[in-house]
Amino acid sequence: MSTTEKKTFTLELGSTAPAFRLPATDGKTYGLEDFQDARVLVVFFTCNHCPYVTGSDESTRQTAQRFAAQDVRFVGINSNSERTYAEDSFGHMGERMKQHRFPWVYLRDETQDVARAYGALRTPHFYVFDAQRRLVYTGRGVDSPRDPSRITVNDLANALEDHLAGRPVRTPKTNPIGCNVKWEGKDAHWMPADACDLV
């Protein structure tokens, strides 16, 4: 199958951010419009247990803190089925946020509709949207999310740095690295093997 014929499961660059309205661990409900004042919005699909998430959370924290003063907001979304992995329940999300105090809102997508709209492929999977909420970067956060001692490239930080400086993003698309999203009623490997091969 040629590149032009290849089916894509995730948002294409330039796409507009799909709307959402989801409950958060802070007791509030958030929609895309609640972040309208953000100069840049980072939406990322994450969870409670995945070693690629837990291994890179501190890198993500540092990136969020680094760009916060430039009106960059981060929104984490957990779409994993708790029936597939009980640790991904909303209750465990609250416990995790209480323990780690991450600098982002943490939303629960129980129906998985938002994950489908964005085309979330892995945990974690990052999407960077500009002020008009057009997609300027999609893919991994860092090149070694499971083992932070081996990180050599922070693609997420590079994308934010380039965009905020008014430059084209040097690498606008990378392959997300992580665990499969735990889809309700789906085999873990239902997607084609090349679904996460974005580049």
Side-chain angles (χ1 to χ4, degrees):
M1 182 180 288
S2 72
T3 304
T4 54
E5 294 172 327
K6 179 179 172 182
K7 182 176 180 181
T8 55
F9 290 84
T10 194
L11 286 181
E12 294 285 1
L13 294 172
S15 298
T16 301
F20 57 80
R21 178 150 288 279
L22 298 170
T25 56
D26 63 6
K28 300 176 184 177
T29 298
Y30 291 88
L32 186 64
E33 66 278 4
D34 291 311
F35 306 97
Q36 61 185 352
D37 293 337
R39 182 177 173 191
V40 176
L41 184 65
V42 179
V43 175
F44 65 106
F45 290 83
T46 183
C47 65
N48 296 329
H49 75 280
C50 170
Y52 297 89
V53 168
T54 59
S56 60
D57 268 337
E58 290 308 312
S59 296
T60 305
R61 182 201 299 273
Q62 290 166 14
T63 302
Q65 291 173 334
R66 174 183 168 188
F67 292 100
Q70 296 181 71
D71 294 325
V72 176
R73 295 286 304 277
F74 277 61
V75 176
I77 301 176
N78 176 15
S79 300
N80 276 1
S81 166
E82 66 180 275
R83 279 168 286 281
T84 303
Y85 213 100
E87 195 176 334
D88 282 326
S89 70
F90 189 61
H92 283 105
M93 288 171 58
E95 292 169 10
R96 193 153 190 273
M97 285 296 280
K98 192 175 294 183
Q99 178 184 355
H100 295 284
R101 301 186 180 279
F102 294 122
W104 50 76
V105 295
Y106 193 13
L107 309 182
R108 179 64 173 140
D109 173 29
E110 189 168 1
T111 67
Q112 303 187 312
D113 288 342
V114 178
R116 278 187 286 270
Y118 279 74
L121 299 172
R122 303 260 187 216
T123 54
H125 186 169
F126 294 85
Y127 299 81
V128 177
F129 296 95
D130 66 12
Q132 287 73 46
R133 298 301 177 257
R134 292 185 303 251
L135 186 66
V136 298
Y137 173 80
T138 182
R140 68 192 188 187
V142 294
D143 62 344
S144 179
R146 188 166 184 159
D147 183 359
S149 70
R150 299 179 63 187
I151 293 172
T152 62
V153 179
N154 187 328
D155 292 284
L156 177 61
N158 287 346
L160 291 169
E161 185 179 286
D162 287 343
H163 179 68
L164 290 165
R167 301 188 296 262
V169 174
R170 67 193 82 170
T171 309
K173 191 186 291 187
T174 59
N175 294 330
I177 303 172
C179 299
N180 293 318
V181 173
K182 303 301 185 280
W183 295 100
E184 182 73 23
K186 295 268 193 184
D187 178 83
H189 302 290
W190 70 273
M191 276 189 182
D194 65 350
C196 295
D197 185 14
L198 305 182
V199 295

